[in-house]
Amino acid sequence: MRDLTMSDMILLGLIGDNIAASQSPRLHRLAGVQNGRQVRYDSLIPALEGLDFDALFARCASGGYRGINVTYPYKEVVAGRLRIDDPLVAAIGACNTVLFDADGPRGFNTDYSGFVAAYRRVRGDRAPGAVLMIGAGGVGRAVAFGLIALGATEIRLADRDAAKAEGLAEALRRAAPGLVVRTGTDAAALAPGAQGLINCTPVGMVGYGGTPLAADLMAGAEWVFDAVYTPVDTPFLRDAGAAGLDVISGYELFVGQGVDAWSLFTGLPLDEARLRDDLAAGRDAS
């Protein structure tokens, strides 16, 4: 990858569906401000661009983008189109960060590192215990491997697509042979006795109403995490907070993955505390 010069505009983007409310463009523009750099971060929705994912990805690869983020529902799709050097990311089988190099696109997963950082920020060194995770898609795969790193004793995977859940379960068993992994299509049936409850579906996001798990099924749990961050305060998290659980917001994952992606895209420094202040204050690069 060539080095950035001070005259370069840093061209980045995000490919995904239902991303109009994403704060990623603002995060990266603010990161640019800290470094005195101009950043253009495009929101790229295939349906609005009139292209399928492959055509839009190819346009980015040849269009001067230094890198892109990829979100729902394309994280697993894009992984098959990238060179992935990290065996952990290859095992996850999903990428949310792509760098366009002279020798082809390379894939990374900052959802993994972002989730681990988010969990530790709220719960420190406390172990996750047995965890119910709802949703076995792209972000779910990253979070599940993060649970292994955090020392989870059991992971229960609930997904309407039984084959998807079992595919992730097999990958987790290969990565951690002593880990207990259960799968099912009904989150309610898998909830009893879980210490941790995780939502890795779009349910609760702007445009997707509802909650992935009824409030009365949270009894006995200790903590929750919601990958959704638009809005930050989802019904799932409000129910958990009312029940006295430790709440880990998807906003924490959003900031963590964004900080790590910026480092990959540019190698430039970033003051995370200042970034958080700017985001909270509604500041932008303008």
Side-chain angles (χ1 to χ4, degrees):
M1 189 190 312
R2 69 181 178 84
D3 293 333
L4 287 167
T5 69
M6 285 302 293
S7 62
D8 287 334
M9 172 188 282
I10 303 172
L11 179 56
L12 306 170
L14 171 67
I15 298 181
D17 295 346
N18 195 41
I19 58 172
S22 173
Q23 293 298 303
S24 289
R26 193 160 66 94
L27 182 152
H28 287 278
R29 289 194 296 265
L30 287 168
V33 168
Q34 286 195 23
N35 288 277
R37 306 300 303 274
Q38 186 178 2
V39 173
R40 194 181 103 194
Y41 189 104
D42 296 335
S43 295
L44 303 167
I45 302 171
L48 295 184
E49 298 293 325
L51 299 170
D52 63 17
F53 174 80
D54 283 335
L56 185 53
F57 181 78
R59 192 181 82 184
C60 291
S62 62
Y65 286 82
R66 185 165 183 81
I68 58 170
N69 290 125
V70 179
T71 192
Y72 181 83
Y74 304 110
K75 295 179 183 183
E76 294 164 279
V77 173
V78 77
R81 292 148 176 77
L82 307 172
R83 190 185 96 208
I84 301 174
D85 297 328
D86 186 335
L88 172 66
V89 178
I92 291 172
C95 293
N96 75 320
T97 302
V98 177
L99 294 185
F100 294 116
D101 283 349
D103 57 352
R106 290 193 292 145
F108 303 85
N109 196 307
T110 64
D111 285 334
Y112 168 86
S113 54
F115 169 69
V116 171
Y119 180 92
R120 288 182 171 149
R121 186 179 181 91
V122 174
R123 289 187 47 88
D125 293 331
R126 283 178 288 174
V131 181
L132 165 63
M133 190 178 78
I134 307 167
V139 69
R141 296 185 70 92
V143 168
F145 275 80
L147 288 170
I148 291 177
L150 291 166
T153 56
E154 178 182 347
I155 301 177
R156 307 171 187 179
L157 303 173
D159 198 288
R160 290 177 296 179
D161 185 335
K164 178 177 284 189
E166 190 54 39
L168 175 54
E170 287 301 314
L172 295 172
R173 292 176 185 125
R174 287 193 297 270
L179 179 69
V180 176
V181 186
R182 298 165 53 194
T183 66
T185 57
D186 183 7
L190 293 171
Q195 283 82 56
L197 304 171
I198 292 177
N199 176 40
C200 285
T201 76
V203 175
M205 183 187 296
V206 172
Y208 296 88
T211 182
L213 191 70
D216 61 348
L217 295 172
M218 295 182 173
E222 299 174 5
W223 63 275
V224 299
F225 167 72
D226 197 337
V228 172
Y229 77 94
T230 52
V232 173
D233 189 21
T234 63
F236 181 62
L237 294 186
R238 288 200 299 271
D239 289 343
L245 280 61
D246 291 340
V247 170
I248 307 169
S249 167
Y251 185 78
E252 291 298 325
L253 171 59
F254 159 69
V255 173
Q257 65 79 27
V259 168
D260 290 347
W262 173 259
S263 178
L264 289 166
F265 288 146
T266 70
L268 296 172
L270 192 58
D271 181 336
E272 184 175 336
R274 175 182 167 187
L275 177 68
R276 286 176 176 271
D277 287 346
D278 288 342
L279 287 167
R283 299 188 185 99
D284 205 336
S286 57

